[in-house]
Amino acid sequence: MAEQRRDQRDGRGAGEGARDVPEPWKRSVRAEEVPAWEELVATARRTVSDGLVVGTSGNVSVRVGDTVLVTPSGVPYDRLTPDDVTGVDLDGRRVLGTLVPTSELPMHLAIYRTTDAGAVVHTHAVHATAVSTLVPELPAIHYMSGALGGAVRVAPYAAYGTEELAENMLHALADRTGCLLRNHGTITYGTTLDQAYDRTAQLEWMCRLWLTASSVPGLTPTLLSPEQVTEAGERLRGYGQRA
């Protein structure tokens, strides 16, 4: 791992991301990017502590202006420091740091280019990944489906890190803020890292709920109608404290 980390710092990391991302542009970290990177690292570490990923299997990004700060490839989150800030522009050209960005960069950039997302969280949460192998969409087992825009679709499988996977994901995300990736995991977005993370956690919880309810022999879980999910989504938009 130490050798891998040295290679990444020298811009020689292995893998698809290393081939696809050009040499870094030289510029300094801007003031607003410092707290954004700190929050990104904290969120990435939370995905591990909450059991949504194992090791470095997920990735997190946040948009600051026209720059996307993103977790680097293959670096344990507990080792990330302020000096490891990694950023690309919306075309995927590295503008900050020397570490190779996550191999899932195409998915993150596809979301930023097509939505008003401020942050993206991708995980390999076990219950959500299990559901992705069973059904074309998560059954409407709970009204929190409304928080993601409706029934959560499953994007067809494609190899990780590919444009094909990013395209499949975008289709599944149409009018949604989260989806499942078949035999892979989850991806959600929001205006903030907190919102994107909460949507990931809620999605994993709903998948666990459906798996639990549907495993009872001889019984079938009741599901919500599309109208009920839509109503819940409208009510959830006004949920919580207002500034």
Side-chain angles (χ1 to χ4, degrees), residues 107 153-159 162-174 179-181:
M107 284 203 298
R153 306 182 189 101
V154 179
Y157 179 81
T162 62
E163 294 293 343
E164 181 185 5
L165 177 59
E167 183 177 350
N168 291 349
M169 173 207 67
L170 284 181
H171 287 299
L173 281 178
C179 73
L180 301 176
L181 308 170

Side-chain angles (χ1 to χ4, degrees), residues 100-201:
V100 175
T102 172
S103 59
E104 298 291 13
L105 189 60
M107 284 203 298
H108 290 257
L109 293 180
I111 290 176
Y112 290 120
R113 290 170 186 151
T114 56
T115 74
D116 61 354
V120 176
V121 176
H122 166 53
T123 77
H124 292 183
V126 63
H127 298 95
T129 304
V131 170
S132 79
T133 71
L134 299 172
V135 290
E137 68 178 25
L138 172 66
I141 190 73
H142 194 272
Y143 67 77
M144 283 305 293
S145 295
L148 298 174
V152 180
R153 306 182 189 101
V154 179
Y157 179 81
Y160 79 90
T162 62
E163 294 293 343
E164 181 185 5
L165 177 59
E167 183 177 350
N168 291 349
M169 173 207 67
L170 284 181
H171 287 299
L173 281 178
D175 301 317
R176 300 291 187 270
T177 55
C179 73
L180 301 176
L181 308 170
R182 190 174 303 283
N183 297 88
H184 187 153
T186 70
I187 194 160
T188 59
Y189 70 87
T191 56
T192 65
L193 275 167
D194 281 344
Q195 186 180 63
Y197 183 86
D198 182 66
R199 287 171 174 168
T200 293

Side-chain angles (χ1 to χ4, degrees), residues 26-106:
K26 300 295 183 182
R27 81 163 174 83
S28 301
V29 178
R30 295 167 181 154
E32 64 271 23
E33 292 167 344
V34 174
W37 176 253
E38 292 175 351
E39 187 179 6
L40 180 149
V41 171
T43 301
R45 290 173 177 168
R46 188 178 176 190
T47 65
V48 177
S49 63
D50 287 355
L52 299 178
V53 304
V54 175
T56 62
S57 60
N59 31 79
V60 178
S61 68
V62 61
R63 181 172 178 174
V64 183
D66 290 331
T67 298
V68 175
L69 305 183
V70 63
T71 47
S73 177
V75 180
Y77 301 140
D78 60 357
R79 299 186 187 181
L80 291 175
T81 72
D83 294 334
D84 295 324
V85 59
T86 304
V88 300
D89 65 16
L90 293 175
D91 292 321
R93 293 175 293 196
R94 197 162 57 213
V95 297
L96 285 173
T98 58
L99 296 180
V100 175
T102 172
S103 59
E104 298 291 13
L105 189 60

